[in-house]
Amino acid sequence: MRKLLPNLYLFIILLLISQFASAQFSVDGHIRTRGEYRDGYRTLAVEDTQGLPLVLQRSRLMMSYKEDNLTFKLTGQDARVWGESEAASPKNTFGIYEAWVKWLFHPNIGVKVGRQEISYDDQRLLSIRNFGVAGATYDALLMYYEDDETKTSVHVGGMINNDRQSQFLDYYTGNLFKYMAFAWGSFSINDFMSLNAINVFDLKQKPSEPEIMYGRNTLGANAIVTKKGVAGGRMGGYYQFGNSWFEIWPLENQKQPISAYSFNASAWADLSDKFKVTLSFDLYSGNDWSKSSGKFTSFNRLLASRHGHLGYMDYFTDMQMGEVAWAGIVDMYLRVDYTFSPKADIQARINNFSMEKPYLPPDVGQGFEKVGKRLGNEISILLNYKPAKNIAIQTAWMFMLPTETLKRLQGENTRLSHFGYISLLFTPNFFTYSKPETQP
């Protein structure tokens, strides 16, 4: 496989070059190296643990080809931890990140099929998870309508997932859904306001009887108001309903009706050309273990971004809120941005986390446990510097100040939990060719 993929790239390059007379072709690179020091990242540091230095690297080679109303893109990726694959090791960290073709059969209407990025709005439900070393793409079919004049977009897509080729229906063990369909639309009201709405429907199988499937629906909308250089704000929410199959204690191996919700609101103001202040509020409903309502009320974030919305230290990345015993999360933060120059800026942020419901699930033979809602504060500082057009450097340091509730969930004997990194991103354009315009 390691020998086949470079030969495949060479073959495709030669094939596309032969078509230059009637096409556009470009080759781009993406290399991101991030050195980290983890001593409390994603989980609290305790007395018998030691800090860990490590380096993550992501390397991509992107080729795109466009001819008339057809576009093709192929992106190969090597994503690794330094030392993960030795020079003589057969372990393969190389794979295909993107491979799709897009056909525009009307000036405003097209279809895109293959392995592709799926990301909408601020990535609260569907995202590419860019902070992770590998990122995320999906095998999907997408149909879309785009009108630049009216600033209107409508996308409809879907996924069909299987572990392998098979002759009959079997149980899908992957991390995605067996089947998923979504519809998204964005509409401009005026120069200052826009609306978007989304509906995601997914089907999950019963493990012992894969022909039995449970459907869950997640729908919502967001309103965004922006006055460039002055102020802005956004407000949105999602409601989740239907049924799903659960394998979490104390709902192991059973179907459960769902009724859950989330809400987000934020406002920002440009105090000057250099200063910007943002206030934000996020709520994801949790399950109330003190009641037997017959419905599971913990919101599932589906394929949301796992970094950023609930802090930069990634303590709450589980889509079903498993880190807080499915009791839901409330996050309020204050963020201040200062721009030194067009090449450099700094961001400081403080998050305040709490559980949406103050109850932990019952232990074996015991009832639920009531705890304090507050989880703690995260303080983060990020510095960005762009020395050249295709080079970006980011350095960051952050730490968590946990409450007794978070310690109760993760470990009592804790010490200072902090996380820092420096990241270098290089995005060169190796080659671009455009068909010469025909002279009249």
Side-chain angles (χ1 to χ4, degrees):
M1 186 68 175
R2 296 175 68 89
K3 296 180 179 179
L4 175 62
L5 286 171
N7 292 333
L8 176 62
Y9 264 106
L10 179 60
F11 171 75
I12 293 174
I13 290 173
L14 293 175
L15 178 64
L16 297 180
I17 289 176
S18 69
Q19 302 296 319
F20 273 175
S22 60
Q24 296 175 336
F25 178 59
S26 66
V27 179
D28 297 277
H30 170 112
I31 301 175
R32 190 185 72 184
T33 304
R34 187 170 70 226
E36 299 183 354
Y37 184 77
R38 298 183 176 186
D39 194 15
Y41 173 68
R42 297 192 69 170
T43 187
L44 292 175
V46 295
E47 294 298 335
D48 58 352
T49 60
Q50 300 293 324
L52 170 69
L54 77 164
V55 180
L56 307 175
Q57 181 162 317
R58 179 170 74 194
S59 307
R60 292 174 181 167
L61 182 63
M62 300 167 282
M63 295 185 297
S64 61
Y65 171 78
K66 184 176 182 181
E67 181 177 7
D68 298 327
N69 58 351
L70 287 173
T71 303
F72 168 76
K73 186 172 184 180
L74 177 65
T75 300
Q77 172 174 272
D78 179 81
R80 66 175 66 225
V81 176
W82 277 15
E84 179 181 9
S85 179
E86 299 176 7
S89 171
K91 187 172 183 179
N92 186 10
T93 59
F94 190 90
I96 298 298
Y97 178 72
E98 289 180 286
W100 52 261
V101 61
K102 181 167 65 175
W103 176 35
L104 193 67
F105 55 85
H106 180 276
N108 303 111
I109 304 174
V111 61
K112 184 178 178 183
V113 61
R115 189 156 190 83
Q116 58 189 282
E117 295 182 334
I118 297 179
S119 172
Y120 290 103
D121 193 35
D122 58 355
Q123 303 191 60
R124 291 177 187 274
L125 294 181
L126 303 176
S127 73
I128 60 173
R129 302 178 184 177
N130 189 56
F131 188 77
V133 63
T137 51
Y138 309 94
D139 303 316
L141 170 69
L142 175 67
M143 297 191 67
Y144 62 93
Y145 169 84
E146 302 276 0
D147 191 330
D148 294 335
E149 185 175 344
T150 62
K151 297 180 181 179
T152 299
S153 301
V154 177
H155 292 194
V156 178
M159 304 179 195
I160 298 175
N161 296 316
N162 290 282
D163 292 313
R164 60 191 184 280
Q165 293 189 58
S166 182
Q167 279 57 256
F168 302 100
L169 179 70
D170 56 6
Y171 180 66
Y172 177 65
T173 61
N175 295 324
L176 300 175
F177 319 108
K178 178 62 178 177
Y179 305 118
M180 191 270 269
F182 66 90
W184 171 85
S186 177
F187 316 93
S188 177
I189 306 301
N190 51 44
D191 292 339
F192 309 112
M193 183 176 183
S194 63
L195 298 174
N196 63 65
I198 191 169
N199 184 50
V200 181
F201 177 73
D202 67 88
L203 283 167
K204 189 171 183 179
Q205 296 170 290
K206 183 177 180 179
S208 59
E209 301 174 84
E211 69 279 6
I212 298 178
M213 302 186 193
Y214 304 100
R216 174 177 55 194
N217 217 71
T218 306
L219 59 88
N222 296 272
I224 302 100
V225 178
T226 303
K227 177 70 173 177
K228 190 175 181 180
V230 180
R234 63 173 295 127
M235 183 179 295
Y238 304 96
Y239 178 62
Q240 202 165 69
F241 60 96
N243 299 280
S244 191
W245 183 263
F246 287 90
E247 298 176 8
I248 60 175
W249 171 260
L251 304 174
E252 290 179 289
N253 301 317
Q254 62 176 277
K255 166 198 167 185
Q256 192 79 7
I258 300 168
S259 180
Y261 62 90
S262 73
F263 174 78
N264 67 87
S266 60
W268 56 90
D270 293 302
L271 303 182
S272 70
D273 293 340
K274 296 182 179 292
F275 269 110
K276 180 179 179 180
V277 176
T278 303
L279 287 170
S280 183
F281 174 84
D282 272 272
L283 182 151
Y284 297 93
S285 69
N287 207 53
D288 189 342
W289 298 107
S290 68
K291 299 178 181 178
S292 299
S293 65
K295 290 187 177 181
F296 192 67
T297 55
S298 180
F299 188 83
N300 189 303
R301 295 187 293 148
L302 305 183
L303 304 175
S305 173
R306 299 192 180 198
H307 180 81
H309 284 305
L310 295 174
Y312 292 140
M313 292 185 73
D314 299 340
Y315 272 64
F316 314 108
T317 60
D318 183 81
M319 299 298 98
Q320 191 66 74
M321 309 293 171
E323 299 97 340
V324 291
W326 312 282
I329 294 179
V330 177
D331 174 27
M332 295 179 285
Y333 73 74
L334 169 67
R335 169 176 163 175
V336 178
D337 292 85
Y338 180 77
T339 302
F340 297 101
S341 70
K343 293 184 177 182
D345 64 84
I346 191 171
Q347 175 195 142
R349 189 167 104 166
I350 179 169
N351 290 70
N352 181 73
F353 300 108
S354 60
M355 294 167 64
E356 201 267 327
K357 298 288 192 306
Y359 303 105
L360 300 182
D363 292 328
V364 178
Q366 300 179 7
F368 64 88
E369 178 184 352
K370 188 172 183 178
V371 294
K373 282 188 175 183
R374 284 204 63 242
L375 295 168
N377 297 101
E378 177 191 305
I379 298 175
S380 309
I381 299 173
L382 291 81
L383 178 64
N384 298 291
Y385 178 55
K386 196 173 179 64
K389 180 181 178 181
N390 56 6
I391 298 177
I393 300 172
Q394 182 179 80
T395 184
W397 181 71
M398 53 208 71
F399 59 93
M400 175 67 78
L401 301 175
T403 64
E404 292 304 314
T405 298
L406 188 57
K407 293 178 182 180
R408 162 74 175 77
L409 291 165
Q410 294 202 3
E412 298 284 352
N413 190 20
T414 61
R415 55 185 176 80
L416 176 66
S417 296
H418 61 116
F419 170 52
Y421 66 83
I422 182 168
S423 173
L424 172 64
L425 174 64
F426 180 46
T427 54
N429 171 252
F430 297 120
F431 183 84
T432 298
Y433 176 89
S434 296
K435 178 181 65 175
E437 294 185 7
T438 304
Q439 298 296 322

